[in-house]
Coordinates of all heavy atoms in Angstrom, one line a residue:
M5 N -18.6 -10.9 9.8 CA -17.4 -11.6 10.1 C -16.3 -11.3 9.1 O -16.6 -11.2 7.9 CB -17.6 -13.1 10.1 CG -16.4 -13.9 10.6 SD -16.6 -15.7 10.6 CE -18.0 -16.0 11.4
G6 N -15.1 -11.0 9.5 CA -14.0 -10.6 8.6 C -13.1 -11.7 8.3 O -13.3 -12.9 8.7
I7 N -12.1 -11.4 7.6 CA -11.0 -12.4 7.2 C -9.8 -12.1 8.1 O -9.4 -10.9 8.3 CB -10.7 -12.2 5.7 CG1 -11.9 -12.5 4.9 CG2 -9.5 -13.1 5.4 CD1 -11.7 -12.2 3.4
V8 N -9.1 -13.1 8.6 CA -7.9 -13.0 9.3 C -6.8 -13.4 8.3 O -6.6 -14.5 7.9 CB -7.8 -13.9 10.5 CG1 -6.5 -13.8 11.2 CG2 -9.0 -13.5 11.5
T9 N -6.0 -12.4 7.9 CA -4.9 -12.6 7.0 C -3.8 -13.3 7.8 O -3.7 -13.3 9.0 CB -4.3 -11.3 6.4 OG1 -3.8 -10.5 7.5 CG2 -5.4 -10.5 5.7
T10 N -2.9 -13.9 7.0 CA -1.7 -14.6 7.6 C -0.9 -13.7 8.5 O -0.5 -14.0 9.6 CB -0.8 -15.2 6.5 OG1 -1.6 -16.1 5.7 CG2 0.4 -16.0 7.1
L11 N -0.7 -12.5 8.0 CA 0.1 -11.4 8.7 C -0.6 -11.2 10.1 O 0.1 -11.2 11.1 CB 0.1 -10.1 7.9 CG 0.8 -9.0 8.6 CD1 2.3 -9.3 8.8 CD2 0.6 -7.7 7.8
I12 N -1.9 -11.0 10.1 CA -2.6 -10.7 11.3 C -2.5 -11.9 12.3 O -2.3 -11.8 13.5 CB -4.0 -10.3 11.1 CG1 -4.1 -9.0 10.3 CG2 -4.8 -10.1 12.4 CD1 -3.5 -7.8 10.9
G13 N -2.7 -13.1 11.6 CA -2.6 -14.4 12.4 C -1.2 -14.5 13.1 O -1.2 -14.9 14.3
V14 N -0.2 -14.2 12.4 CA 1.2 -14.3 13.0 C 1.4 -13.3 14.1 O 1.9 -13.5 15.2 CB 2.3 -14.2 11.9 CG1 3.6 -14.0 12.5 CG2 2.2 -15.4 11.0
M15 N 0.9 -12.1 13.8 CA 1.1 -11.0 14.8 C 0.2 -11.2 16.1 O 0.6 -10.8 17.1 CB 0.7 -9.6 14.2 CG 1.7 -9.1 13.3 SD 1.5 -7.4 12.8 CE 0.0 -7.4 11.9
A16 N -0.8 -12.0 15.9 CA -1.7 -12.3 17.1 C -1.0 -13.1 18.1 O -1.4 -13.1 19.3 CB -2.9 -13.1 16.6
E17 N 0.1 -13.7 17.8 CA 0.9 -14.4 18.8 C 1.6 -13.5 19.7 O 2.1 -13.9 20.7 CB 1.9 -15.3 18.1 CG 1.2 -16.5 17.3 CD 2.2 -17.4 16.6 OE1 3.4 -17.4 17.0 OE2 1.8 -18.1 15.7
S18 N 1.7 -12.2 19.3 CA 2.3 -11.1 20.2 C 1.3 -10.0 20.4 O 1.1 -9.2 19.5 CB 3.6 -10.6 19.6 OG 4.0 -9.4 20.3
P19 N 0.5 -10.0 21.5 CA -0.5 -9.0 21.6 C 0.0 -7.6 21.5 O -0.7 -6.7 20.9 CB -1.1 -9.3 23.0 CG -0.8 -10.7 23.2 CD 0.5 -11.0 22.5
E20 N 1.2 -7.4 21.9 CA 1.8 -6.0 21.8 C 2.0 -5.6 20.4 O 1.7 -4.5 20.0 CB 3.1 -5.9 22.6 CG 2.9 -6.1 24.1 CD 2.9 -7.6 24.5 OE1 3.1 -8.5 23.7 OE2 2.7 -7.9 25.7
L21 N 2.5 -6.5 19.6 CA 2.8 -6.3 18.2 C 1.5 -6.0 17.5 O 1.3 -5.1 16.7 CB 3.5 -7.4 17.5 CG 3.7 -7.3 16.0 CD1 4.5 -6.1 15.7 CD2 4.3 -8.6 15.5
L22 N 0.5 -6.9 17.7 CA -0.8 -6.7 17.1 C -1.5 -5.4 17.4 O -2.0 -4.7 16.6 CB -1.8 -7.9 17.4 CG -3.1 -7.9 16.7 CD1 -2.9 -7.9 15.2 CD2 -3.9 -9.1 17.1
A23 N -1.4 -5.0 18.7 CA -2.0 -3.7 19.2 C -1.3 -2.6 18.5 O -1.9 -1.6 18.1 CB -1.9 -3.6 20.7
G24 N 0.1 -2.6 18.4 CA 0.8 -1.6 17.7 C 0.4 -1.4 16.2 O 0.2 -0.3 15.7
Y25 N 0.4 -2.6 15.6 CA 0.0 -2.6 14.2 C -1.4 -2.0 14.0 O -1.6 -1.2 13.1 CB 0.0 -4.0 13.6 CG -0.5 -4.1 12.2 CD1 0.4 -3.9 11.1 CD2 -1.8 -4.5 11.9 CE1 -0.1 -3.9 9.8 CE2 -2.2 -4.6 10.6 CZ -1.4 -4.3 9.5 OH -1.8 -4.4 8.3
N26 N -2.4 -2.4 14.8 CA -3.7 -2.0 14.7 C -3.8 -0.5 15.0 O -4.6 0.3 14.3 CB -4.7 -2.7 15.7 CG -5.0 -4.1 15.2 OD1 -4.9 -4.4 14.0 ND2 -5.3 -5.0 16.1
T27 N -3.0 0.1 15.9 CA -3.0 1.5 16.2 C -2.5 2.3 15.1 O -3.0 3.3 14.6 CB -2.2 1.8 17.5 OG1 -2.8 1.1 18.6 CG2 -2.1 3.3 17.7
L28 N -1.4 1.8 14.5 CA -0.8 2.4 13.3 C -1.7 2.4 12.1 O -1.9 3.4 11.4 CB 0.5 1.7 12.9 CG 1.3 2.3 11.7 CD1 1.7 3.8 12.0 CD2 2.5 1.5 11.4
A29 N -2.4 1.3 11.9 CA -3.3 1.2 10.8 C -4.5 2.1 11.0 O -5.0 2.8 10.0 CB -3.8 -0.3 10.6
E30 N -5.0 2.2 12.2 CA -6.1 3.1 12.5 C -5.7 4.6 12.3 O -6.4 5.4 11.7 CB -6.5 3.0 14.0 CG -7.7 3.8 14.3 CD -8.2 3.6 15.8 OE1 -8.1 2.4 16.2 OE2 -8.5 4.5 16.5
Q31 N -4.5 5.0 12.7 CA -4.0 6.3 12.5 C -3.8 6.7 11.1 O -4.2 7.8 10.6 CB -2.8 6.6 13.3 CG -3.0 6.6 14.8 CD -1.7 6.8 15.6 OE1 -0.6 6.6 15.1 NE2 -1.8 7.1 16.9
F32 N -3.3 5.7 10.3 CA -3.1 5.9 8.9 C -4.5 6.1 8.2 O -4.7 6.9 7.4 CB -2.3 4.8 8.3 CG -2.0 4.9 6.8 CD1 -1.2 5.9 6.4 CD2 -2.7 4.1 5.9 CE1 -0.9 6.1 5.0 CE2 -2.4 4.3 4.5 CZ -1.5 5.3 4.1
G33 N -5.4 5.3 8.6 CA -6.8 5.4 8.1 C -7.4 6.7 8.3 O -8.2 7.2 7.5
E34 N -7.1 7.3 9.4 CA -7.6 8.6 9.8 C -6.9 9.8 9.3 O -7.3 10.9 9.4 CB -7.8 8.7 11.3 CG -8.8 7.7 11.9 CD -8.8 7.7 13.4 OE1 -7.9 8.5 14.1 OE2 -9.6 7.0 14.0
S35 N -5.8 9.5 8.6 CA -4.9 10.6 8.1 C -5.7 11.4 7.0 O -6.7 11.0 6.5 CB -3.6 10.1 7.5 OG -3.8 9.4 6.2
L36 N -5.2 12.5 6.7 CA -5.8 13.5 5.7 C -5.5 13.1 4.2 O -6.0 13.7 3.4 CB -5.4 14.9 6.0 CG -5.8 15.5 7.3 CD1 -5.4 16.8 7.5 CD2 -7.3 15.4 7.5
L37 N -4.7 12.1 4.0 CA -4.4 11.6 2.6 C -5.7 11.2 2.0 O -6.5 10.5 2.7 CB -3.4 10.5 2.6 CG -1.9 10.8 2.8 CD1 -1.2 9.5 2.9 CD2 -1.4 11.6 1.7
P38 N -5.9 11.5 0.7 CA -7.1 10.9 0.1 C -7.0 9.4 0.0 O -5.8 8.8 0.0 CB -7.0 11.5 -1.3 CG -6.0 12.6 -1.3 CD -5.1 12.4 -0.1
T39 N -8.1 8.7 -0.1 CA -8.1 7.3 -0.1 C -7.2 6.7 -1.2 O -6.5 5.7 -1.0 CB -9.5 6.8 -0.3 OG1 -10.4 7.2 0.7 CG2 -9.6 5.2 -0.4
A40 N -7.2 7.3 -2.4 CA -6.4 6.9 -3.5 C -4.9 6.9 -3.1 O -4.1 6.0 -3.4 CB -6.7 7.8 -4.7
A41 N -4.5 8.0 -2.5 CA -3.1 8.2 -2.1 C -2.7 7.1 -1.0 O -1.6 6.6 -1.1 CB -2.8 9.6 -1.6
K42 N -3.6 6.8 -0.1 CA -3.3 5.8 0.9 C -3.1 4.5 0.2 O -2.2 3.8 0.6 CB -4.6 5.7 1.9 CG -4.7 6.9 2.8 CD -5.9 6.7 3.6 CE -6.2 8.0 4.4 NZ -7.5 7.9 5.2
Q43 N -3.9 4.2 -0.8 CA -3.7 2.9 -1.5 C -2.3 2.8 -2.2 O -1.7 1.8 -2.2 CB -4.8 2.6 -2.4 CG -6.1 2.3 -1.7 CD -6.0 1.1 -0.6 OE1 -5.4 0.1 -0.9 NE2 -6.6 1.3 0.5
V44 N -1.9 3.9 -2.8 CA -0.6 4.0 -3.4 C 0.5 3.8 -2.4 O 1.4 3.0 -2.6 CB -0.4 5.3 -4.2 CG1 1.1 5.5 -4.6 CG2 -1.2 5.3 -5.4
V45 N 0.4 4.4 -1.2 CA 1.3 4.1 -0.1 C 1.4 2.6 0.3 O 2.4 2.0 0.4 CB 1.0 5.0 1.1 CG1 1.8 4.6 2.3 CG2 1.2 6.5 0.8
L46 N 0.1 2.1 0.4 CA 0.1 0.7 0.8 C 0.6 -0.3 -0.3 O 1.2 -1.3 0.0 CB -1.3 0.3 1.2 CG -1.8 1.1 2.5 CD1 -3.3 0.9 2.7 CD2 -1.0 0.6 3.7
I47 N 0.4 0.0 -1.6 CA 0.9 -0.8 -2.7 C 2.5 -0.7 -2.6 O 3.2 -1.7 -2.7 CB 0.4 -0.3 -4.0 CG1 -1.0 -0.6 -4.2 CG2 1.2 -1.1 -5.2 CD1 -1.7 0.1 -5.4
T48 N 2.9 0.5 -2.4 CA 4.4 0.8 -2.4 C 5.0 0.0 -1.3 O 6.1 -0.7 -1.4 CB 4.7 2.3 -2.3 OG1 4.1 2.9 -3.4 CG2 6.2 2.5 -2.3
A49 N 4.4 0.0 -0.1 CA 5.0 -0.7 1.0 C 4.9 -2.2 0.8 O 5.8 -3.0 1.1 CB 4.2 -0.4 2.3
S50 N 3.8 -2.7 0.2 CA 3.7 -4.1 -0.1 C 4.7 -4.6 -1.1 O 5.3 -5.7 -1.0 CB 2.3 -4.4 -0.6 OG 1.3 -4.1 0.4
V51 N 5.0 -3.8 -2.1 CA 6.0 -4.1 -3.1 C 7.4 -4.1 -2.4 O 8.2 -5.1 -2.6 CB 6.0 -3.1 -4.3 CG1 7.3 -3.2 -5.1 CG2 4.8 -3.2 -5.2
A52 N 7.7 -3.1 -1.6 CA 8.9 -3.1 -0.9 C 9.1 -4.3 0.0 O 10.3 -4.8 0.2 CB 9.0 -1.8 0.0
N53 N 8.0 -4.8 0.6 CA 8.1 -6.0 1.4 C 8.0 -7.3 0.7 O 8.0 -8.4 1.3 CB 7.0 -5.9 2.5 CG 7.4 -4.8 3.6 OD1 8.5 -4.8 4.1 ND2 6.4 -4.0 3.9
G54 N 7.8 -7.2 -0.6 CA 7.7 -8.5 -1.4 C 6.5 -9.3 -1.1 O 6.5 -10.5 -1.3
C55 N 5.4 -8.6 -0.7 CA 4.2 -9.3 -0.4 C 3.2 -9.2 -1.6 O 2.4 -8.3 -1.7 CB 3.6 -8.8 0.9 SG 2.1 -9.7 1.4
E56 N 3.2 -10.2 -2.5 CA 2.4 -10.2 -3.7 C 0.9 -10.2 -3.3 O 0.1 -9.6 -4.0 CB 2.7 -11.3 -4.6 CG 4.1 -11.2 -5.2 CD 4.3 -10.0 -6.2 OE1 3.3 -9.6 -6.9 OE2 5.3 -9.3 -6.1
Y57 N 0.5 -10.9 -2.3 CA -0.9 -10.9 -1.9 C -1.4 -9.5 -1.6 O -2.5 -9.1 -2.0 CB -1.0 -11.8 -0.7 CG -2.4 -11.7 0.0 CD1 -3.5 -12.4 -0.6 CD2 -2.6 -11.0 1.1 CE1 -4.8 -12.2 0.0 CE2 -3.9 -10.8 1.7 CZ -4.9 -11.5 1.1 OH -6.2 -11.4 1.7
R58 N -0.6 -8.8 -0.8 CA -1.0 -7.4 -0.4 C -1.0 -6.5 -1.6 O -1.7 -5.5 -1.7 CB -0.2 -6.9 0.8 CG -0.2 -7.7 2.0 CD -1.6 -8.0 2.6 NE -2.2 -6.7 2.9 CZ -3.6 -6.7 3.2 NH1 -4.3 -7.7 3.2 NH2 -4.1 -5.5 3.5
V59 N 0.0 -6.7 -2.4 CA 0.1 -5.8 -3.7 C -1.2 -6.0 -4.5 O -1.8 -5.0 -4.8 CB 1.3 -6.2 -4.5 CG1 1.3 -5.5 -5.9 CG2 2.7 -5.9 -3.8
A60 N -1.6 -7.3 -4.6 CA -2.9 -7.5 -5.4 C -4.1 -6.9 -4.7 O -4.9 -6.2 -5.3 CB -3.0 -9.0 -5.6
A61 N -4.1 -7.1 -3.4 CA -5.3 -6.5 -2.6 C -5.4 -5.0 -2.7 O -6.4 -4.5 -3.0 CB -5.2 -7.0 -1.1
H62 N -4.2 -4.4 -2.4 CA -4.2 -2.9 -2.4 C -4.4 -2.3 -3.8 O -4.9 -1.3 -4.0 CB -3.0 -2.3 -1.7 CG -3.1 -2.6 -0.2 ND1 -4.1 -2.0 0.5 CD2 -2.4 -3.3 0.6 CE1 -3.9 -2.4 1.8 NE2 -2.9 -3.2 1.9
S63 N -3.9 -3.1 -4.9 CA -4.1 -2.6 -6.2 C -5.6 -2.7 -6.6 O -6.1 -1.7 -7.2 CB -3.3 -3.6 -7.2 OG -2.0 -3.4 -7.0
T64 N -6.3 -3.7 -6.1 CA -7.7 -3.8 -6.4 C -8.4 -2.6 -5.7 O -9.3 -1.9 -6.2 CB -8.3 -5.1 -5.9 OG1 -7.7 -6.1 -6.6 CG2 -9.8 -5.2 -6.0
L65 N -8.1 -2.3 -4.4 CA -8.7 -1.2 -3.7 C -8.3 0.1 -4.3 O -9.2 1.0 -4.3 CB -8.2 -1.3 -2.2 CG -8.8 -2.5 -1.4 CD1 -8.1 -2.5 0.0 CD2 -10.3 -2.4 -1.3
A66 N -7.1 0.2 -4.8 CA -6.7 1.5 -5.5 C -7.6 1.7 -6.7 O -8.0 2.8 -7.0 CB -5.2 1.4 -5.9
L67 N -7.8 0.7 -7.5 CA -8.6 0.8 -8.7 C -10.0 1.2 -8.3 O -10.6 2.1 -9.0 CB -8.6 -0.4 -9.5 CG -7.2 -0.8 -10.2 CD1 -7.2 -2.2 -10.8 CD2 -6.9 0.3 -11.3
R68 N -10.5 0.6 -7.3 CA -11.9 1.0 -6.8 C -11.9 2.5 -6.3 O -13.0 3.1 -6.4 CB -12.3 0.1 -5.7 CG -12.7 -1.3 -6.1 CD -13.1 -2.1 -4.9 NE -13.3 -3.5 -5.3 CZ -13.5 -4.5 -4.5 NH1 -13.5 -4.3 -3.2 NH2 -13.6 -5.7 -5.0
A69 N -10.8 3.0 -5.8 CA -10.7 4.4 -5.4 C -10.4 5.3 -6.6 O -10.1 6.5 -6.3 CB -9.6 4.5 -4.3
R70 N -10.5 4.8 -7.7 CA -10.3 5.5 -9.0 C -8.8 6.0 -9.2 O -8.6 7.1 -9.9 CB -11.2 6.7 -9.1 CG -12.7 6.2 -9.1 CD -13.6 7.3 -9.6 NE -14.9 6.7 -9.7 CZ -16.0 7.2 -9.2 NH1 -16.0 8.4 -8.6 NH2 -17.2 6.7 -9.5
V71 N -7.9 5.2 -8.7 CA -6.5 5.5 -9.1 C -6.3 5.0 -10.5 O -6.8 3.9 -10.8 CB -5.5 4.7 -8.1 CG1 -4.1 4.9 -8.6 CG2 -5.7 5.2 -6.7
P72 N -5.7 5.8 -11.4 CA -5.6 5.4 -12.8 C -4.8 4.1 -12.9 O -3.9 3.9 -12.1 CB -4.8 6.6 -13.4 CG -5.1 7.7 -12.5 CD -5.2 7.2 -11.1
A73 N -5.3 3.3 -13.8 CA -4.7 1.9 -13.9 C -3.1 2.0 -14.2 O -2.4 1.2 -13.7 CB -5.4 1.2 -15.1
E74 N -2.7 3.1 -14.9 CA -1.3 3.2 -15.2 C -0.5 3.5 -14.0 O 0.7 3.1 -13.9 CB -1.0 4.2 -16.3 CG -1.5 5.6 -16.0 CD -2.9 5.9 -16.5 OE1 -3.7 5.0 -16.8 OE2 -3.3 7.1 -16.4
V75 N -1.1 4.2 -13.0 CA -0.4 4.5 -11.8 C -0.3 3.2 -10.9 O 0.7 2.9 -10.4 CB -1.1 5.6 -11.0 CG1 -0.5 5.8 -9.6 CG2 -1.1 6.9 -11.7
V76 N -1.4 2.5 -10.9 CA -1.4 1.2 -10.1 C -0.3 0.2 -10.8 O 0.5 -0.4 -10.1 CB -2.7 0.5 -10.2 CG1 -2.7 -0.9 -9.6 CG2 -3.7 1.3 -9.4
E77 N -0.3 0.2 -12.1 CA 0.7 -0.7 -12.8 C 2.1 -0.2 -12.5 O 3.0 -1.1 -12.2 CB 0.4 -0.6 -14.3 CG 1.4 -1.4 -15.1 CD 1.3 -2.9 -15.0 OE1 0.3 -3.4 -14.5 OE2 2.3 -3.6 -15.3
A78 N 2.4 1.1 -12.4 CA 3.7 1.6 -12.2 C 4.1 1.2 -10.7 O 5.3 0.8 -10.5 CB 3.7 3.1 -12.3
C79 N 3.2 1.3 -9.8 CA 3.5 0.8 -8.4 C 3.8 -0.7 -8.4 O 4.8 -1.1 -7.8 CB 2.3 1.1 -7.5 SG 1.9 2.8 -7.2
E80 N 3.0 -1.5 -9.1 CA 3.2 -2.9 -9.1 C 4.5 -3.3 -9.7 O 5.2 -4.2 -9.3 CB 2.1 -3.6 -9.8 CG 0.8 -3.5 -9.1 CD -0.4 -4.1 -10.0 OE1 -0.2 -4.2 -11.2 OE2 -1.4 -4.3 -9.4
Q81 N 5.0 -2.6 -10.8 CA 6.2 -2.9 -11.5 C 7.4 -2.4 -10.8 O 8.5 -2.8 -11.3 CB 6.1 -2.4 -12.9 CG 5.0 -3.1 -13.7 CD 5.2 -4.6 -13.9 OE1 6.2 -5.0 -14.0 NE2 4.1 -5.3 -13.8
A82 N 7.3 -1.5 -9.8 CA 8.5 -1.0 -9.2 C 9.6 -2.0 -8.8 O 10.7 -1.8 -9.1 CB 8.1 -0.1 -8.1
S83 N 9.1 -3.0 -8.1 CA 10.1 -4.0 -7.6 C 10.7 -4.8 -8.7 O 11.8 -5.2 -8.7 CB 9.4 -4.9 -6.6 OG 8.5 -5.8 -7.3
R84 N 10.0 -5.0 -9.8 CA 10.5 -5.7 -11.0 C 11.6 -4.9 -11.7 O 12.5 -5.5 -12.2 CB 9.4 -6.2 -11.9 CG 8.4 -7.2 -11.2 CD 7.2 -7.3 -12.0 NE 6.2 -8.2 -11.3 CZ 5.3 -7.7 -10.5 NH1 5.2 -6.5 -10.3 NH2 4.5 -8.5 -9.9
R85 N 11.5 -3.6 -11.7 CA 12.5 -2.8 -12.3 C 13.6 -2.6 -11.4 O 14.8 -2.6 -11.9 CB 11.9 -1.4 -12.7 CG 11.0 -1.5 -13.9 CD 10.7 -0.1 -14.5 NE 10.2 0.8 -13.4 CZ 8.9 1.0 -13.1 NH1 8.0 0.3 -13.8 NH2 8.5 1.8 -12.2
W86 N 13.4 -2.3 -10.1 CA 14.4 -1.9 -9.2 C 15.0 -3.1 -8.4 O 16.1 -3.0 -7.8 CB 13.9 -0.9 -8.2 CG 13.5 0.4 -8.8 CD1 14.1 1.0 -9.9 CD2 12.6 1.3 -8.3 NE1 13.5 2.2 -10.2 CE2 12.5 2.4 -9.2 CE3 11.7 1.3 -7.2 CZ2 11.7 3.5 -9.0 CZ3 10.9 2.4 -7.1 CH2 10.9 3.5 -8.0
G87 N 14.2 -4.2 -8.3 CA 14.6 -5.2 -7.4 C 14.4 -4.8 -6.0 O 13.9 -3.7 -5.7
R88 N 14.7 -5.6 -5.0 CA 14.5 -5.3 -3.6 C 15.8 -5.2 -2.9 O 16.7 -6.0 -3.1 CB 13.6 -6.3 -2.9 CG 12.2 -6.1 -3.2 CD 11.3 -7.0 -2.4 NE 11.3 -8.4 -2.8 CZ 10.5 -8.9 -3.8 NH1 9.7 -8.1 -4.4 NH2 10.7 -10.1 -4.1
P89 N 16.1 -4.1 -2.2 CA 15.3 -2.9 -2.0 C 15.5 -2.0 -3.2 O 16.6 -2.0 -3.8 CB 15.8 -2.3 -0.7 CG 17.2 -2.8 -0.6 CD 17.3 -4.2 -1.3
A90 N 14.6 -1.1 -3.4 CA 14.7 -0.1 -4.4 C 15.8 0.9 -4.0 O 16.0 1.2 -2.9 CB 13.4 0.7 -4.6
P91 N 16.6 1.3 -5.0 CA 17.7 2.3 -4.7 C 17.2 3.5 -4.0 O 17.8 4.0 -3.1 CB 18.3 2.6 -6.0 CG 17.5 1.9 -7.1 CD 16.5 1.0 -6.4
S92 N 16.1 4.0 -4.4 CA 15.4 5.2 -3.8 C 14.0 5.2 -4.2 O 13.7 5.6 -5.4 CB 16.2 6.5 -4.1 OG 15.4 7.5 -3.5
A93 N 13.1 4.9 -3.4 CA 11.7 4.9 -3.7 C 11.1 6.2 -3.6 O 10.0 6.5 -4.1 CB 10.9 3.9 -2.8
T94 N 11.8 7.2 -3.0 CA 11.3 8.5 -2.7 C 10.9 9.3 -4.0 O 9.8 9.8 -4.1 CB 12.3 9.4 -1.9 OG1 12.5 8.6 -0.7 CG2 11.7 10.7 -1.5
P95 N 11.8 9.3 -5.0 CA 11.3 10.0 -6.2 C 10.1 9.4 -6.9 O 9.2 10.1 -7.3 CB 12.6 10.0 -7.1 CG 13.7 9.7 -6.2 CD 13.1 8.9 -5.1
A96 N 10.1 8.1 -7.0 CA 8.9 7.4 -7.6 C 7.7 7.6 -6.8 O 6.6 7.9 -7.3 CB 9.3 5.9 -7.8
F97 N 7.8 7.5 -5.5 CA 6.7 7.7 -4.6 C 6.1 9.1 -4.8 O 4.9 9.4 -4.9 CB 7.0 7.4 -3.2 CG 5.9 7.8 -2.2 CD1 4.8 7.0 -2.1 CD2 6.0 8.9 -1.4 CE1 3.8 7.3 -1.3 CE2 4.9 9.2 -0.6 CZ 3.8 8.4 -0.5
T98 N 7.0 10.1 -4.8 CA 6.6 11.5 -5.0 C 5.9 11.7 -6.3 O 4.8 12.3 -6.3 CB 7.8 12.5 -4.9 OG1 8.5 12.2 -3.6 CG2 7.4 13.9 -5.0
W99 N 6.4 11.2 -7.4 CA 5.8 11.3 -8.7 C 4.4 10.6 -8.7 O 3.4 11.2 -9.1 CB 6.7 10.6 -9.8 CG 6.0 10.8 -11.1 CD1 6.2 11.8 -12.0 CD2 5.2 9.8 -11.7 NE1 5.4 11.5 -13.1 CE2 4.8 10.3 -13.0 CE3 4.7 8.6 -11.3 CZ2 4.0 9.6 -13.9 CZ3 3.8 7.9 -12.2 CH2 3.5 8.4 -13.5
L100 N 4.3 9.4 -8.1 CA 3.0 8.7 -8.1 C 2.0 9.5 -7.2 O 0.8 9.5 -7.6 CB 3.2 7.3 -7.5 CG 4.0 6.4 -8.5 CD1 4.4 5.1 -7.8 CD2 3.2 6.1 -9.7
T101 N 2.4 10.0 -6.1 CA 1.5 10.7 -5.3 C 1.0 12.0 -6.0 O -0.2 12.3 -6.0 CB 2.2 11.2 -3.9 OG1 2.6 10.0 -3.3 CG2 1.2 11.9 -3.0
A102 N 1.9 12.6 -6.7 CA 1.5 13.8 -7.5 C 0.5 13.4 -8.6 O -0.5 14.1 -8.9 CB 2.7 14.5 -8.1
A103 N 0.8 12.3 -9.2 CA -0.1 11.8 -10.3 C -1.5 11.5 -9.8 O -2.5 11.8 -10.4 CB 0.5 10.6 -11.0
I104 N -1.6 10.9 -8.6 CA -2.9 10.6 -8.0 C -3.6 11.9 -7.6 O -4.8 12.0 -7.8 CB -2.7 9.7 -6.8 CG1 -2.4 8.3 -7.3 CG2 -3.9 9.7 -5.9 CD1 -2.0 7.4 -6.2
R105 N -2.9 12.8 -7.0 CA -3.5 14.1 -6.6 C -4.1 14.8 -7.8 O -5.2 15.4 -7.7 CB -2.6 15.0 -5.9 CG -2.2 14.4 -4.5 CD -1.6 15.3 -3.5 NE -2.3 16.6 -3.4 CZ -3.3 16.9 -2.6 NH1 -3.9 15.9 -1.9 NH2 -3.8 18.1 -2.5
A106 N -3.5 14.6 -8.9 CA -4.0 15.3 -10.2 C -5.4 14.6 -10.6 O -6.2 15.3 -11.3 CB -3.0 15.1 -11.3
H107 N -5.6 13.4 -10.1 CA -6.9 12.7 -10.5 C -7.9 12.7 -9.3 O -8.9 12.1 -9.5 CB -6.5 11.3 -10.9 CG -5.8 11.2 -12.2 ND1 -4.5 11.3 -12.3 CD2 -6.3 11.0 -13.4 CE1 -4.1 11.2 -13.6 NE2 -5.2 11.1 -14.3
C108 N -7.6 13.3 -8.2 CA -8.5 13.3 -7.1 C -9.4 14.5 -7.1 O -9.1 15.5 -7.5 CB -7.8 13.2 -5.7 SG -7.0 11.6 -5.5

């Protein structure tokens, strides 16, 4: 038995939305990105959306995937430095992805 997060619970009120989310999540999971890079993407998205719960969850998963702690910390601190929305997350995302690939 799994856990139903608040996000999934809210989306369940719209079967079409939930189906779309699940399809996107499945495709992302099957992408060729290494697990560590996927977690950086998910931390970055969680920071951008201001979802501290998801930031914490994906940070934990990133550390388990051997993403260096300093990279996880940089992802977590991005919103605190830039505020929301970030002026441009692309350079930081590119740097973080390169840093992770160096450790994969």
Side-chain angles (χ1 to χ4, degrees):
M5 186 181 313
I7 296 172
V8 177
T9 64
T10 302
L11 176 66
I12 299 297
V14 170
M15 286 192 294
E17 294 181 21
S18 171
E20 295 84 5
L21 175 61
L22 184 58
Y25 176 84
N26 286 336
T27 298
L28 181 61
E30 182 179 321
Q31 290 177 346
F32 183 68
E34 294 173 358
S35 73
L36 297 179
L37 283 173
T39 300
K42 289 176 188 173
Q43 290 306 318
V44 167
V45 169
L46 294 170
I47 294 169
T48 304
S50 299
V51 167
N53 287 313
C55 185
E56 291 297 322
Y57 169 79
R58 300 305 299 168
V59 171
H62 289 297
S63 294
T64 298
L65 293 172
L67 292 169
R68 287 183 187 167
R70 297 196 173 131
V71 175
E74 62 271 11
V75 173
V76 172
E77 177 69 19
C79 291
E80 292 173 344
Q81 295 300 321
S83 67
R84 292 170 187 90
R85 283 195 308 271
W86 294 330
R88 280 187 286 275
S92 175
T94 304
F97 174 74
T98 302
W99 180 86
L100 290 170
T101 301
I104 285 174
R105 290 197 48 82
H107 290 86
C108 291

